[in-house]
């Protein structure tokens, strides 16, 4: 007994030393200003609940401008704002379009006001002024003083439960508002239906249905209060209300426990002593009120706010410690905040009992995996999912299984394009889930049936009536008449088809391999030899006469002009270089891209980024050129890759609210940061290689799920020493500027020797 | 072996002889004209599917007149109409308000028209002219020739599946319309949401959510075609549509398999050979698309329309044979049609796997019972549920269990008032579920926990904020200021409280018994000795100065004036008679009721009935006076009961489309008919006695679930011999004008000796 005790005591400090408090470097506030579109609130890794403040809920005018002012509020919060409307439970991180913002809660005191009020005059509604001086945003915890009523608001979360703690001044007239009309990207008729059941004086359950970016979406909830409310009520803002005879039987505005309608706001009244804390647990479920309650009971059975906060931080530390970097304090903030933002999405979409709502709107049980949602695949196939294949292989395996479940439930028979909450909004070009699927299988991460996965990829790529796929198959390009993003689609389909070919090769399907290798060359069909740029064609195959290499809109692209998109052949840089006139010319073009000036008229074309989000004509704030800095490696000038990458790392990621030059895009920008900081990048997911760049860290230890470690050392690292003199993998010189996935997951050491001079 | 075979052969004719084809007497068309509000389509006993033609779907203007023209269409079909809009799957039978009409299907040919068109010009839409000459309506089967396109439509059903058979002329251009906007009592915003999934070229699933009389209602469906459609499409009539980016990806109007919106109409295209039959199976579920599919596979696995039709008829014959009556052919039609209408509701609300949607909007599993819905209890507590206690005790047991489940799921903690589809619309006065619960327990039908049932009754009766219950408890009456139906409520609460007292007595709860017996005397508080009528009081306890015994509205009543309602003390006629001045005066008042003239101005006040629905001032078309003809028995003039009852039977029930003088009210009118035809009636359910009247049948054999039989014989029966000379129960003279429930269920014989002269 004594001996065991001693062993136990000895072990504890060892474990504690191994796991650092890296959460302290996480600053969720990074990216909340300007275009980052991140949120500052509380969530746990890949959590289903994202409990975060809203600073505005401007209505989206359906027939108004597409990217209207509400575009700023995709994450619900803008650092520039002076008021907080309330705290809601679901948020995208870094997206360029939005939805969510479910179940807005706000504590108030004094005269009950059910309208949110305005930013100019918060006291005319339930919203409140706040200042960043009295705001703390940490991994898994958010705190702010609501100045209007001097209420301290604190938030934390478990995977499926948001926990609120409100410290009130003394009053007979304290309220908690539950605004069931509020939502992000709200517009008329977005709120389809709301049902609420006040089960008793501490428990409320219900659901909210919306039709927004997700067309058919229901979120169920269970909400408990730490103390009984003394009374409650609602206001129904519906223009027309159901069967009026019904309303006469009870007074349904006050203490009536069964509510339903399209537009409801509720309130709960309390008496509070001075500095009394009223806590709320708010659980979500995609399936039912009962599952929400079960989630709550399983994850947060008690009322200890600090314990939930500590568990949230602990869950972050567990993930963050998977990579321990040695770098400057500022870069640690950048690195671990990037890791935090990368591990926010996709989000869990399974209840504790394994049930989830499928794309077919049926309830399914996830057997042998956790179901995930929020797949922003046009962004995340590039670096986020490849990053997961190294650091989160189990979760990425489940994500691929989630995509396969989506496919199985799809009547359209497509893998997800941009899916969230049992819907696909089909946003952006390509069918990039095939890249994620192929990459996970090729890298040995996926444990499902690879044959079925290949079949799903093939079926997806042959959905002829989707975004020009039929023309693409028949002609090898998409006529401009058929799609406004004809070139983006052709180039991205070609890359995706190459992924399918790689997967087919892995599974020894030679015929499929050949078919898709042929399709993967379709990028050639949009290449205009006369200009050397990718250029739109009409149905007859002629290039369109009006052509502007600087412009995005009307030229067949999305989120990137021809300057950026013309480099989009990630799967075959060698052929592209040849097409563009050889290595010298190609490198010179890359130089031009990074040094040219993008006039304002064309910058306006470039969505989702700030002026800081571009370097010359290179648009880092959007994704299509994310691999481009690494292409110098193929042009025989790896030192240019090295200097460009280091410059991008410095210029595009800063440890400040406005530190992100463009949307974080569900972690893609952050994954780029981590890969590039570590010195390598997956230029073409679906390949098992990573192209080398210039590490920004002094060293890093990657702790893999297979218990092996992979270490990156940068000898002579400094801000000036951005050039790599030589690279050793486990002591052996690398001459081809790449490492393989197995080099990483088998464990080992990658040693960069840094210098201030390029190794030409 | 040989011996067994012979036994088998001998048995078959015996069984066949025992079960008659009584379905031939069922004329569902009875009551479809004027005010009966029945529907002519196909259903099985207590079936979840009621597949029936709609002849109009006029929109209900929420801010318009409450009982607008659409009031005529509560069952979707009016015999007077000349066109059929289509065939939908859910219908109330005989109600005075409505909902339902889900999933309207219509076959057409030629140019596709997705609008329903108008009754004046059916050819300008998908509706069609029809005539009763080419229409057949039977138990479980409906057939009509759609004249516009010469399509023969046939309908049949199982419990949860509607089956359609459309015989088309030859055409390349045949269509089946699925109108997901159509519904009964539609108005703006009633359609909350619709989701459709075209799984393959013969299977379509989805759901429809409405907010109408049921505030929060979802019906799931699965629909299969007997042959693949060649193409399909939709039109979305929503004023505003969700996320427009979405719509660009596919052409969603044609052959697009995932649809959602508030207002959708779909079509399916076929080539048809001459006289080709296209069949549809359409299954419903309260729970999920998958359950709907499971229901379909379990109930109607094949495509043999005639087999389903025969099974439906067989299921009716099985129920109808529970009472075999010997009477005129016309009265057999009246009797078995009444039985048919009585056995249509409540309706099954459980899937084949036992799941159902509860009042709490959660999915529940019905353990050990079938869950039912559509409880029009203000009507049906009177005679329908008592009738079930004799002829359908197992089902009534399940119905009480369904009510108890409703109570358990209710946050309001009330037993159902008027509930359907996991909602309560709280229509009409009283809390009459307590009568049904008490009656079922007192008569030994309920197998659940009687203590819990009593507790539910008590809790229901103490919901102080419901319709004046608080005032009723405090003051013994409801002030007119508090409720527009203050007297109806007080009188009915008093009766209901007497039921609770009887149940308490049965369970030996003396204190509860005394409390509720006291409450049951509250009818006295609205009795105005100065006029001898029930009269509204103000909060101070003074009778309102403006009093009109002929008027309903504004006088504190619903569906009955003071003349009718003043007799509403079914649980204590002796006290009422004393209050009204003794037996002579009382009998004279009854005479006046049956012979007075109700001027047009007051008739207009009387809802839900035709002029034929009244006899003098006695309003049989509404329910409050349904027991009144039997009160002569307490006034010492049973021969008056006998002649009144026979007159009502003759006048109010005719074997014709306009044969019902008022709404059938979910079978209450029909149950009155059957009881009274058999010679007895439950004046006060909750008592185990039946008051004797005058049988209209020559004889009847009731085949009980306990395998016993109860026989009614009417010696010297004729239209003139309406008076009863004497009655023998198992040969023993009855002197108190009543029999007990045990007299029936123990089996035996009730013999009436009829005469043309009253036995004074």
């Amino acid at each position: 007994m004594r001996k065991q005790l001693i062993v136990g005591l000895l072990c504890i400090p060892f474990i504690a030393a191994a796991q650092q408090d890296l959460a302290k470097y996480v600053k969720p506030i990074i990216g909340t200003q300007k275009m980052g579109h991140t949120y500052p609130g509380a969530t746990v890794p890949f959590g289903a609940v994202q409990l975060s403040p809203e600073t505005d809920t401007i209505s989206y005018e359906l027939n108004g401008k597409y990217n209207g002012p509400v575009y700023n509020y995709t994450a619900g919060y803008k650092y520039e704002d002076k008021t907080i409307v309330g705290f809601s439970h679901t948020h995208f991180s870094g997206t360029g379009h939005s939805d969510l913002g479910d179940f807005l809660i706000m504590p108030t005191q004094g005269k009950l006001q059910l309208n949110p009020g305005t930013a100019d005059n918060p006291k005319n509604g339930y919203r409140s002024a706040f200042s960043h001086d009295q705001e703390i945003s940490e991994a898994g915890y958010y705190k702010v003083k609501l100045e209007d009523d001097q209420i301290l608001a604190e938030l934390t979360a478990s995977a499926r439960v948001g926990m609120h703690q409100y410290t009130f001044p003394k009053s007979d007239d304290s309220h908690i508002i539950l605004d069931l009309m509020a939502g992000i990207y709200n517009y008329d008729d977005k709120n389809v239906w709301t049902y609420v059941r006040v089960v008793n004086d501490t428990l409320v359950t219900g659901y909210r249905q919306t039709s927004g970016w997700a067309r058919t979406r229901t979120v169920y909830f269970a909400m408990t209060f730490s103390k009984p409310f003394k009374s409650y009520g609602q206001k129904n803002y519906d223009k027309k209300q159901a069967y009026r005879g019904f309303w006469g039987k009870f007074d349904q505005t006050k203490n009536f426990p069964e509510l339903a309608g399209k537009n409801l706001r509720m309130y709960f009244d309390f008496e509070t002593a001075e500095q009394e804390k009223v806590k709320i647990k708010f659980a979500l479920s995609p399936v039912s009120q009962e599952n929400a309650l079960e989630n709550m009971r399983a994850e947060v059975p008690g009322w200890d706010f600090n314990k939930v906060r500590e568990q949230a931080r602990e869950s972050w530390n567990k993930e963050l410690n998977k990579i321990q970097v040695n770098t400057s304090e500022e870069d640690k903030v950048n690195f671990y905040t990037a890791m935090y933002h990368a591990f926010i999405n996709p989000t869990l979409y399974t209840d504790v009992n394994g049930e989830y709502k499928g794309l077919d709107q049926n309830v399914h049980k996830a057997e042998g995996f956790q179901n995930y949602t929020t797949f922003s695949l046009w962004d995340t196939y590039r670096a986020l999912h490849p990053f997961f294949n190294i650091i989160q292989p189990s979760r990425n395996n489940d994500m691929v299984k989630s995509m396969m479940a989506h496919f199985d439930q799809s009547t359209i028979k497509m893998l997800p394009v941009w899916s969230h909450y049992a819907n696909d909004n089909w946003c952006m070009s390509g069918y990039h889930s095939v890249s994620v699927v192929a990459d996970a299988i090729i890298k040995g991460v996926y444990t499902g049936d690879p044959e079925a996965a290949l079949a799903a990829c093939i079926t997806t790529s042959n959905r002829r009536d989707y975004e020009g796929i039929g023309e693409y198959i028949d002609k090898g390009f998409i006529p401009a008449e058929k799609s406004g993003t004809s070139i983006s689609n052709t180039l991205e389909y070609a890359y995706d088809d190459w992924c399918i070919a790689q997967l087919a090769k892995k599974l020894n399907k030679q015929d499929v391999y050949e078919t898709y290798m042929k399709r993967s060359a379709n990028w050639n069909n949009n290449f205009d030899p006369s200009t050397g740029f990718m250029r739109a064609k009409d149905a007859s195959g002629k290039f369109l006469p009006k052509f502007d290499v600087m412009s995005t809109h009307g030229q067949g692209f999305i989120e990137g002009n021809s300057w950026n998109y013309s480099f989009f052949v990630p799967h075959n840089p060698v052929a592209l270089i040849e097409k563009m006139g050889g290595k010298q010319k190609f490198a010179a073009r890359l130089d031009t891209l990074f040094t040219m000036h993008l006039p304002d008229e064309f910058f306006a074309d470039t969505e989702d980024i700030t002026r800081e989000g571009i370097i010359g004509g290179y648009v880092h704030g959007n994704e299509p050129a994310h691999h481009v800095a690494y292409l110098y490696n193929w042009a025989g000038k790896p030192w240019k890759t090295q200097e460009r990458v280091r410059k991008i790392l410095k210029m595009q990621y800063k440890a400040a609210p406005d530190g992100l030059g463009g949307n974080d895009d569900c972690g893609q920008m952050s994954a780029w940061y981590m890969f590039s900081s570590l010195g390598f990048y997956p230029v073409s997911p679906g390949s098992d290689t990573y192209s080398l760049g210039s590490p920004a860290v002094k060293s890093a230890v990657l702790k893999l799920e297979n218990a092996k470690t992979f270490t990156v050392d940068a000898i002579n690292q400094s801000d000036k020493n951005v050039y790599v003199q030589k690279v050793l993998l486990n002591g052996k010189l690398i001459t081809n500027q790449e490492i393989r996935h197995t080099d990483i997951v088998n464990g080992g050491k990658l040693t960069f020797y840094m210098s201030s001079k390029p190794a030409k």
Side-chain angles (χ1 to χ4, degrees), chain A:
Chain A
M1 285 291 285
R2 174 170 279 267
K3 195 175 173 187
Q4 283 180 348
L5 186 64
I6 291 168
V7 170
L9 285 171
L10 287 172
C11 281
I12 290 163
F14 175 75
I15 290 166
Q19 182 151 307
Q20 303 171 23
D21 179 28
L22 300 175
K24 70 182 174 190
Y25 296 112
V26 173
K27 305 290 176 199
I29 209 80
I30 293 175
T32 59
Q33 196 169 3
K34 296 188 178 165
M35 283 293 174
H37 289 191
T38 55
Y39 61 82
T43 192
V44 296
F46 309 97
V49 164
Q50 306 89 33
L51 177 52
S52 188
E54 244 82 286
T55 59
D56 228 320
T57 53
I58 295 172
S59 287
Y60 172 61
E61 272 300 316
L62 188 69
N63 299 321
K65 206 167 152 20
Y66 176 61
N67 281 328
V70 75
Y71 169 77
N72 293 326
Y73 291 95
T74 62
Y77 178 97
K78 290 299 288 175
Y79 192 81
E80 298 87 331
D81 289 341
K82 307 294 182 202
T83 65
I84 282 175
V85 183
F87 308 96
S88 83
H89 296 80
T90 53
H91 293 86
F92 287 140
S93 178
T95 56
H97 198 296
S98 201
D99 207 330
L100 318 186
D102 300 288
F103 309 117
L104 185 91
I105 282 182
M106 185 67 172
T108 68
Q109 213 166 54
K111 186 190 157 206
L112 179 70
Q113 295 191 101
L114 283 179
N115 67 304
T118 59
D120 291 345
N121 184 6
K123 295 206 173 182
N124 65 2
Y126 61 69
R127 82 166 78 194
S128 172
F130 80 108
S131 85
H132 298 302
D133 297 342
Q134 303 211 60
E135 183 186 39
I136 290 174
S137 168
E138 295 175 356
Y141 177 68
Y142 178 86
K143 172 164 120 174
V144 71
K145 185 65 163 284
L146 300 167
E147 291 174 1
D148 287 11
D149 296 333
Q150 291 295 308
I151 297 165
L152 182 69
E154 294 173 277
L155 313 173
T156 187
S158 67
R160 299 165 181 90
V161 185
M163 190 167 186
H164 308 239
Q165 177 168 277
Y166 298 114
T167 307
F168 284 91
K170 178 176 168 59
S171 173
D172 293 345
D173 213 13
S174 296
H175 316 287
I176 286 173
I177 311 283
L178 170 60
D179 188 337
L180 295 150
M181 294 165 69
I184 299 174
Y185 248 98
N186 253 15
Y187 52 82
D188 276 4
D189 285 358
K190 179 176 175 183
N191 289 337
V192 170
W193 199 246
T194 304
Y195 173 79
V196 179
R197 185 172 141 75
V198 183
V199 180
N200 58 46
D201 60 4
T202 57
L203 175 62
V204 183
T205 66
Y207 61 82
R208 176 173 190 250
Q209 275 177 278
T210 58
S211 176
W213 209 24
R215 195 177 40 166
T216 294
R217 177 172 168 273
T218 305
V219 189
Y220 297 84
F221 76 91
M223 174 195 199
T224 53
F225 295 94
S226 58
K227 78 179 253 184
F229 43 80
K230 61 175 184 177
S231 57
Y232 66 99
Q234 66 138 348
K235 189 166 175 191
N236 183 318
Y237 291 79
D238 290 352
K239 282 173 205 148
K240 294 191 177 181
Q241 287 173 3
Y243 172 54
R244 61 179 183 170
F246 162 91
W247 294 90
K249 291 283 175 168
F250 294 100
D251 172 8
Q252 300 201 9
T253 61
K254 188 107 178 138
N255 298 324
F256 186 78
E258 288 179 13
L259 307 177
K262 293 187 177 72
N263 297 290
L264 305 179
R265 291 195 178 116
M266 295 190 72
Y267 61 92
F268 302 89
D269 302 324
F270 298 86
E271 278 178 39
T272 51
E274 185 60 25
Q275 296 305 299
E276 181 173 352
K277 289 173 169 45
V278 177
K279 299 175 212 178
I280 298 169
K281 292 186 287 191
F282 203 107
L284 303 184
S285 162
V287 169
S288 69
Q289 303 169 80
E290 286 177 327
N291 277 14
L293 205 50
E294 192 178 339
N295 290 342
M296 185 192 290
R297 286 171 180 152
E299 292 187 355
V300 190
W303 282 104
D304 187 340
F305 182 88
N306 288 332
K307 186 178 166 193
V308 178
R309 179 185 170 187
E310 281 159 24
Q311 285 169 340
R313 191 180 182 93
E314 177 60 24
S315 69
W316 276 113
N317 269 326
K318 187 182 159 205
E319 299 303 327
L320 299 170
N321 271 276
K322 289 180 176 173
I323 305 182
Q324 292 181 347
V325 295
N326 179 12
T327 188
S328 69
E329 288 299 290
E330 192 192 343
D331 274 358
K332 279 188 180 173
V333 170
N334 284 325
F335 193 93
Y336 288 110
T337 302
M339 205 160 168
Y340 170 88
H341 282 143
F343 290 175
I344 279 182
N345 352 251
T347 55
L348 198 60
Y349 198 60
T350 331
D351 288 323
V352 290
N353 64 9
E355 290 181 345
Y356 69 98
K357 179 82 64 76
L359 184 71
D360 55 7
Q361 306 302 311
N362 288 323
V363 175
H364 296 265
K365 189 131 190 174
E367 304 284 359
F369 72 109
Q370 292 286 327
N371 190 58
Y372 286 88
T373 193
T374 307
F375 289 103
S376 182
L377 291 159
W378 182 83
D379 303 296
T380 57
Y381 84 87
R382 299 169 203 260
L384 184 69
H385 288 285
F387 191 77
F388 291 161
N389 279 335
I390 298 171
I391 295 296
Q392 298 281 2
S394 295
R395 283 198 170 94
N396 206 48
N397 181 23
D398 283 0
M399 289 169 195
V400 174
K401 288 180 177 174
S402 303
M403 292 180 195
M404 286 299 296
H406 175 115
F407 177 83
D408 291 341
Q409 293 152 8
S410 162
T411 52
I412 294 161
K413 287 297 158 211
M414 287 186 77
L415 285 157
V417 174
W418 206 128
S419 71
H420 67 288
Y421 288 74
N423 284 262
D424 203 327
N425 61 53
W426 296 295
C427 191
M428 304 304 289
S429 41
Y431 34 76
H432 299 301
S433 47
V434 308
S435 164
V436 177
V437 170
D439 201 46
I441 295 173
I442 285 161
K443 291 175 180 167
V445 163
Y446 183 56
T447 59
D449 176 5
E451 305 280 345
L454 175 62
C457 292
I458 292 170
T459 303
T460 300
S461 71
N462 287 312
R463 177 79 206 188
R464 293 182 60 90
D465 63 346
Y466 179 78
E467 276 278 88
I469 290 178
E471 287 81 5
Y472 169 84
I473 293 169
D474 295 343
K475 294 176 188 283
F477 68 95
I478 302 168
E481 301 93 315
K482 288 287 177 181
S483 167
T485 56
S486 61
I487 311 177
S488 298
N489 272 317
T490 299
L491 298 181
E492 295 178 22
Y493 292 161
Y495 158 71
D496 290 334
D497 288 346
W498 177 83
C499 291
I500 296 174
Q502 302 314 300
L503 177 54
K505 190 177 170 188
K506 170 109 181 167
L507 303 178
N508 296 314
K509 309 269 185 189
Q510 187 62 24
D511 53 337
V512 177
Y513 172 74
E514 283 165 17
T515 301
Y516 279 84
M517 280 308 285
K518 200 173 156 208
R519 284 173 59 149
S520 81
N522 278 340
W523 60 271
N524 285 285
N525 299 328
N526 275 116
F527 187 85
D528 172 19
S530 75
T531 61
F533 282 90
M534 298 295 177
R535 182 172 176 180
K537 280 179 173 172
D538 66 18
S540 75
K542 274 192 280 195
F543 287 110
L544 294 193
K546 280 187 72 174
F547 181 42
D548 185 339
V549 291
M550 301 292 269
S551 186
T552 296
H553 294 162
Q555 294 290 332
F557 300 105
I558 185 163
E559 293 198 12
N561 58 15
S562 189
W563 256 107
N564 281 271
Y565 255 110
S566 289
F567 293 107
F568 193 83
V569 190
H571 53 294
N572 202 350
V574 173
L576 180 67
I577 288 167
E578 195 185 322
K579 204 91 177 175
M580 286 188 171
K583 290 184 178 181
Q584 283 300 341
K585 281 195 179 175
F586 185 82
R589 274 186 69 161
L590 287 174
D591 286 346
T592 307
L593 175 70
F594 281 101
T595 53
M596 69 194 296
H597 176 68
L598 188 66
D600 284 347
E601 59 191 293
F602 300 113
F603 173 70
D605 245 22
T606 308
E607 300 175 292
D608 293 347
I609 58 163
T610 59
R611 258 287 170 196
E612 292 73 39
I614 60 175
I615 297 173
Y618 168 78
V619 182
H620 189 71
N622 284 332
E623 275 72 9
H626 267 193
H627 65 298
V628 167
Y630 288 89
L631 294 182
Y632 282 108
N633 281 340
W634 278 265
K637 298 191 172 173
W639 63 89
K640 293 251 180 181
T641 289
Q642 294 150 23
E643 68 180 40
R644 297 295 180 211
V645 165
R646 292 291 285 269
K647 187 169 181 182
I648 298 167
L649 286 169
K650 270 279 175 237
M651 288 185 64
Q652 300 290 316
Y653 300 87
K654 288 173 185 151
D658 64 348
L660 298 181
N663 301 163
D664 192 57
D665 285 319
C666 290
Q668 164 58 22
M669 290 279 280
S670 291
W672 193 97
Y673 180 88
M674 289 187 288
F675 265 125
S676 292
S677 289
L678 294 172
F680 53 94
Y681 188 82
V683 165
S684 188
S687 140
D688 67 345
T689 62
Y690 301 88
S691 194
L692 296 181
S694 169
V697 297
K698 285 179 185 157
S699 68
V701 179
L702 282 64
K703 298 181 176 178
L704 308 176
E705 278 185 10
N706 62 9
K708 294 182 179 172
T709 57
F710 182 71
T711 304
V712 175
D713 265 336
I715 312 293
N716 295 323
Q717 175 66 286
S718 77
D719 277 358
K720 284 185 183 167
N721 294 352
V722 301
Y723 298 106
V724 177
Q725 292 303 103
K726 63 175 180 179
V727 191
L728 304 184
L729 176 67
N730 300 324
K732 203 176 153 193
L733 190 68
I734 296 176
T735 55
N736 63 352
Q737 303 300 333
E738 69 180 36
I739 56 171
R740 293 188 169 271
H741 187 70
T742 48
D743 298 334
I744 299 171
V745 295
N746 289 342
K749 188 169 194 171
L750 186 67
T751 313
F752 292 87
Y753 289 83
M754 310 304 293
S755 163
S756 61
K757 293 190 182 128
K760 295 187 182 177

